[in-house]
Each structure stands twice: as structure tokens, then as C-alpha cells.
Amino acid sequence: LDYCFQHGLLYEAADYHNAVFVGYDGKTPRYATLRGTLSGSGFKRDVTGSNKRFCFFLPPKGESKKLAVYEAAIETMAHLSLEKTVDKYRLSLGGISAPKEGETAYSFKKPAALESFLARHPEIEEIELCTNNDYAGRWAAEHIEKAYQGKYRMVKNLPEKEGCDYADLTKERYEKQAARQRAACSR
């Protein structure tokens, strides 16, 4: 969080206290997405005029040839907090487009964020797919894998629990740790 605040990647919106995740084109902000911070708030949306070619991403410490991709910025940060390693780029796709379960007539379009990022980072050799473990996330991971295999080493790393994303797993881990701490303090 400190890194994100210090580098202008994350801040709190003054009006409704939403988290604002920012993506840059060099030093110019070109993308911003809002995420509600109030308990139970499902508020999510991109700021008008945002360019998905420059979605939120976290750089590695030092050089890396690895890239992990996520559906949303919050999942990017959540997975980092679970892994605690800063050895790869982590890119939010700014959402995915997938058919509803059972639909067949749907064409896959490569994510603009991923295409643009790879064009700016020719050193990338490996793409780790960290989409949500739901129908849409699995569908997107499968199609991204097909689209880029052969040019990149492809690794699927979806959350273990079906229906979950990395933000869900991070919240679950936090709640378990908090419960253990409360139990230890009540003894």
C-alpha cells in the first residue's frame, strides 16, 4: 500500500471515499478505476475517459521477464499480499469480457491492457493467468492462454476455491488471522 500511495497508483477519492487505482502512460495518468470501500459496497467502475491500454499495474523489484494478469486492480494487490514476492509485473486487465455460461456465439478479443503492456515490455517471456475461478474467469484464462501460447510460456494460477478471486482469499486469510488473535487475547 505504501508503494502505491507514494507512486500515485492508489488514493482515496474525496467525495465518496472510494479507492482509486491509477494506470499510467509513462508519467501521465491515463486510466483510473473506482472501487467502493464501505462494507458491503459493490461499487466498481472506470472513470470516464479512462484508456484500458494503460490499466493499473505493479512493477517488480528489479528486472523480470514474468507477468501475472488479473481481472481487477484489487485482485492484483490482494495476490501480492498473499505471495509477498515482488518478482514479477502484476497487471490488471480492467475487467474481462466473456459469454454467459451456455452461450456459444461469442468471439474472444485480446485484452487491450495486455496487448499494450506486452508491446511496451518486450522482455516478458512468461504470462501467469490469475483470473477469477468462476465461469467467466476460466473462460478468459483459457482463451488468453490459446491466444498467447507459443510466443510466451503460459502458467495458469487461478484461486483454488471455485467462485473466488484473490481478493476473496486475502479477506478470508485476514479474517482467520484476526479470529486467532482475538482467541489468543481472550485467554
Side-chain angles (χ1 to χ4, degrees):
L1 286 174
D2 288 339
Y3 176 89
C4 290
F5 289 130
Q6 291 168 4
H7 290 85
L9 298 170
L10 173 63
Y11 63 93
E12 180 182 357
D15 51 4
Y16 296 102
H17 305 284
N18 294 311
V20 182
F21 297 91
V22 182
Y24 288 84
D25 176 5
K27 294 185 181 202
T28 307
R30 298 281 301 274
Y31 174 84
T33 188
L34 305 171
R35 179 87 178 218
T37 57
L38 299 176
S39 181
S41 170
F43 180 75
K44 307 175 210 179
R45 76 172 178 95
D46 290 345
V47 172
T48 304
S50 288
N51 185 336
K52 285 200 188 275
R53 292 177 51 237
F54 302 98
C55 281
F56 175 85
F57 83 93
L58 297 171
K61 280 189 178 174
E63 295 181 21
S64 181
K65 296 180 182 200
K66 296 179 180 182
L67 168 66
V69 296
Y70 306 84
E71 291 182 33
I74 194 74
E75 294 148 11
T76 305
M77 293 184 65
H79 195 217
L80 174 61
S81 72
L82 288 171
E83 286 192 335
K84 296 182 181 5
T85 60
V86 192
D87 63 343
K88 58 191 156 198
Y89 291 95
R90 294 173 189 268
L91 173 69
S92 165
L93 298 177
I96 57 164
S97 179
K100 296 204 183 305
E101 197 164 359
E103 283 183 17
T104 55
Y106 196 89
S107 63
F108 172 74
K109 185 177 173 186
K110 291 180 180 178
L114 182 54
E115 282 287 282
S116 180
F117 186 90
L118 292 172
R120 293 188 312 269
H121 294 274
E123 73 276 13
I124 298 299
E125 295 176 356
E126 177 180 292
I127 300 174
E128 179 181 354
L129 301 169
C130 302
T131 55
N132 300 353
N133 190 356
D134 57 13
Y135 176 80
R138 290 188 300 269
W139 187 92
E142 178 184 323
H143 284 80
I144 292 169
E145 182 177 34
K146 285 179 186 173
Y148 292 97
Q149 67 187 10
K151 185 167 183 181
Y152 300 96
R153 186 173 44 258
M154 302 301 295
V155 177
K156 268 193 194 168
N157 186 10
L158 278 56
E160 292 173 11
K161 288 186 175 182
E162 187 166 344
C164 286
D165 60 37
Y166 281 107
D168 296 326
L169 298 180
T170 303
K171 181 180 177 189
E172 185 178 287
R173 180 183 284 181
Y174 172 79
E175 287 170 350
K176 284 180 183 176
Q177 288 173 341
R180 281 194 299 269
Q181 288 174 344
R182 283 191 301 274
C185 289
S186 66
R187 290 183 198 164

